[in-house]
């Protein structure tokens, strides 16, 4: 930004909850300690550990792989990393995403406790903006305006922005296609759930909600001898991930159109094939490697022809 102070004069930190791919193999403590800005500030591992414990991490979680964290814990990890850098300006993009009410309260209390830090945030959480904001920035007609007060006072002056936070304040209507019947299912027995059900999966941050959904979709599989996931072979499952961009990190050079063409170019979903449930076990690979007997018709004398071939 033209005219913005140098980093040596004003320390600006962006709270980023996404896990960096090249560091995804590290444990939580090492992940924070590996940050170049943490190293440049000469912050010790003990200090990193102390701050992480202060935001709710346990000693066990410090040693757990960073990829095991739920969305809520990833945000707390990002906040811990920002706290260590002692920012003058804190930039936050949807800081309450994936957080349960307890952790939302923790974020609110933390932001209100900052006395010498300017916090600039993007959020659709109206309660957060009401509690912590003293000024509202609005981008309108390619111009940036600033008004003093929280969100409620801003909405009083500009009623049209209420539609940004309340769906009923808009005239938009959404319609979704009704799911079709599963081919081959004709039983009229009592169902646990029907095709028209809308089911919520609830639990505290880290309880395993996303893990359960991933298991139902085949993203992951249960531990050995710990249960079986079965679904009808004709069922069609669509999955919108909590971290929806995890599939496209390797395709950032493509346009949306090119990515869709690449993903479905042979009629199958390439990302679907990469799921753990679609990966062959050693036993299955051994069976695939064995030649199969194919019917080759008959020869000139009318004798049957057998062909043995490995299916690739």
């Amino acid at each position: 930004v033209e005219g913005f102070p140098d980093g040596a004069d004003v320390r600006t930190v962006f709270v980023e909850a996404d896990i960096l791919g090249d560091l995804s193999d590290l444990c939580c403590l090492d992940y924070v300690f590996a940050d170049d800005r943490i190293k440049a500030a000469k912050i010790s591992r003990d200090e990193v550990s102390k701050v992480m414990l202060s935001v709710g991490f346990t000693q066990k979680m410090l040693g757990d792989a960073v990829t095991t964290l739920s969305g809520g814990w990833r945000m707390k990890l990002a906040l811990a990393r920002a706290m260590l850098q002692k920012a003058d300006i804190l930039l936050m993009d949807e800081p309450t995403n994936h957080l349960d009410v307890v952790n939302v309260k923790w974020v609110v209390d933390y932001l209100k406790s900052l006395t010498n830090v300017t916090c600039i945030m993007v959020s659709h959480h109206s309660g957060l903006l009401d509690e912590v904001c003293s000024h509202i920035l609005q981008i309108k007609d390619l111009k940036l305006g600033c008004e003093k007060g929280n969100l409620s006072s801003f909405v009083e002056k500009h009623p049209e922005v209420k539609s940004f936070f309340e769906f009923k304040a808009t005239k938009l209507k959404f319609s979704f296609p009704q799911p079709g019947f599963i081919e081959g299912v004709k039983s009229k027995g009592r169902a646990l759930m029907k095709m028209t059900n809308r089911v919520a999966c609830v639990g505290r941050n880290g309880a395993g909600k996303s893990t359960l959904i991933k298991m139902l979709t085949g993203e992951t599989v249960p531990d050995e001898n710990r249960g079986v996931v079965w679904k009808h072979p004709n069922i069609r499952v669509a999955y919108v991930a909590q971290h929806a961009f995890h599939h496209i990190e390797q395709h950032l050079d493509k346009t949306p159109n090119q990515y869709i063409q690449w993903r479905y170019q042979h009629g199958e979903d390439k990302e679907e094939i990469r799921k753990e449930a679609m990966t062959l076990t050693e036993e299955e690979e051994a069976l695939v490697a064995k030649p199969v007997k194919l019917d080759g018709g008959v020869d000139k004398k009318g004798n049957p022809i057998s062909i043995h071939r490995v299916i690739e």
Side-chain angles (χ1 to χ4, degrees), residues 92-150:
M92 310 181 80
D93 187 6
E94 301 289 356
T96 57
N97 267 9
H98 315 307
L99 295 183
D100 56 26
V101 291
V102 174
N103 284 310
V104 169
K105 179 65 166 56
W106 181 90
V107 171
V108 169
D109 291 343
Y110 169 69
L111 294 177
K112 290 168 74 172
S113 72
L114 300 175
T115 55
N116 296 311
V117 179
T118 296
C119 184
I120 303 174
M121 69 187 75
V122 175
S123 178
H124 290 85
H125 194 299
S126 56
L128 173 73
L129 300 180
D130 259 344
E131 284 206 58
V132 305
C133 289
S134 59
H135 295 74
I136 299 293
L137 292 172
Q138 182 185 23
I139 301 175
K140 186 177 182 180
D141 300 328
L142 301 180
K143 294 181 180 179
L144 192 64
C146 179
E147 293 191 24
K148 191 173 182 179
N150 63 5

Side-chain angles (χ1 to χ4, degrees), residues 24-39:
S24 60
D25 60 325
L26 300 178
C27 70
C28 295
L29 178 59
D30 289 342
Y31 180 84
V32 176
F33 192 67
D35 191 295
D36 291 336
R37 294 163 296 183
I38 300 294
K39 292 179 179 178

Side-chain angles (χ1 to χ4, degrees), residues 46-78:
D46 287 341
E47 190 174 352
V48 172
S49 177
K50 182 179 179 181
V51 170
M52 292 181 69
L53 292 172
S54 73
V55 302
F57 282 84
T58 64
Q59 284 290 350
K60 179 183 177 301
M61 293 176 70
L62 295 184
D64 287 344
V66 71
T67 51
T68 63
L69 295 179
S70 67
W73 280 105
R74 291 187 183 191
M75 177 55 70
K76 297 191 83 170
L77 182 76

Side-chain angles (χ1 to χ4, degrees), residues 52-292:
M52 292 181 69
L53 292 172
S54 73
V55 302
F57 282 84
T58 64
Q59 284 290 350
K60 179 183 177 301
M61 293 176 70
L62 295 184
D64 287 344
V66 71
T67 51
T68 63
L69 295 179
S70 67
W73 280 105
R74 291 187 183 191
M75 177 55 70
K76 297 191 83 170
L77 182 76
L79 284 169
R81 186 171 54 181
M83 290 165 64
L84 284 160
Q85 296 175 58
K86 299 178 173 59
D88 297 306
I89 299 177
L90 205 57
L91 304 177
M92 310 181 80
D93 187 6
E94 301 289 356
T96 57
N97 267 9
H98 315 307
L99 295 183
D100 56 26
V101 291
V102 174
N103 284 310
V104 169
K105 179 65 166 56
W106 181 90
V107 171
V108 169
D109 291 343
Y110 169 69
L111 294 177
K112 290 168 74 172
S113 72
L114 300 175
T115 55
N116 296 311
V117 179
T118 296
C119 184
I120 303 174
M121 69 187 75
V122 175
S123 178
H124 290 85
H125 194 299
S126 56
L128 173 73
L129 300 180
D130 259 344
E131 284 206 58
V132 305
C133 289
S134 59
H135 295 74
I136 299 293
L137 292 172
Q138 182 185 23
I139 301 175
K140 186 177 182 180
D141 300 328
L142 301 180
K143 294 181 180 179
L144 192 64
C146 179
E147 293 191 24
K148 191 173 182 179
N150 63 5
L151 179 65
S152 293
S153 62
F154 185 78
V155 170
E156 287 180 8
K157 300 174 187 175
H158 307 276
E160 70 278 4
V161 304
K162 192 174 183 180
S163 61
F164 300 166
F165 303 93
E166 293 185 18
F167 183 70
K168 62 183 180 181
T170 73
K171 296 181 180 179
L172 295 174
K173 291 184 178 180
F174 290 93
S175 61
F176 297 95
Q178 290 296 320
F181 291 102
I182 299 175
E183 184 180 349
V185 176
K186 299 179 180 179
S187 170
K188 295 183 179 180
R190 184 177 179 182
L192 177 64
M193 291 191 295
K194 297 182 179 180
M195 297 295 284
T196 55
N197 287 153
R198 305 291 182 263
V199 182
C201 181
V202 300
R204 60 176 176 79
N205 283 139
K209 301 183 295 295
S210 297
T211 301
L212 173 63
I213 298 301
K214 287 180 180 179
M215 205 167 289
L216 294 176
T217 62
E219 289 275 329
T220 60
V221 295
D223 292 337
E224 190 174 357
N225 301 321
R226 295 296 296 274
V228 177
V229 176
W230 182 90
K231 58 186 177 184
H232 193 279
N234 290 333
I235 196 170
R236 302 176 300 277
V237 179
Y239 176 43
V240 180
Q242 185 182 69
H243 304 285
F245 292 103
H246 74 289
H247 279 155
I248 64 171
E249 288 180 351
Q250 306 303 319
H251 307 279
L252 298 180
D253 58 330
K254 295 182 177 71
T255 65
N257 193 326
Q258 290 171 335
Y259 172 71
I260 294 297
Q261 289 184 18
W262 169 86
R263 184 166 173 173
Y264 297 97
Q265 63 181 334
H266 298 303
E268 292 182 320
D269 184 349
K270 290 184 178 179
E271 303 292 4
E272 183 81 16
I273 293 173
R274 293 180 182 179
K275 288 182 177 180
E276 193 170 348
M278 299 287 286
T279 304
L280 297 180
T281 65
E282 291 182 3
E283 183 180 354
E284 290 170 335
E285 288 180 348
L287 290 173
V288 170
K290 290 182 178 180
V292 295

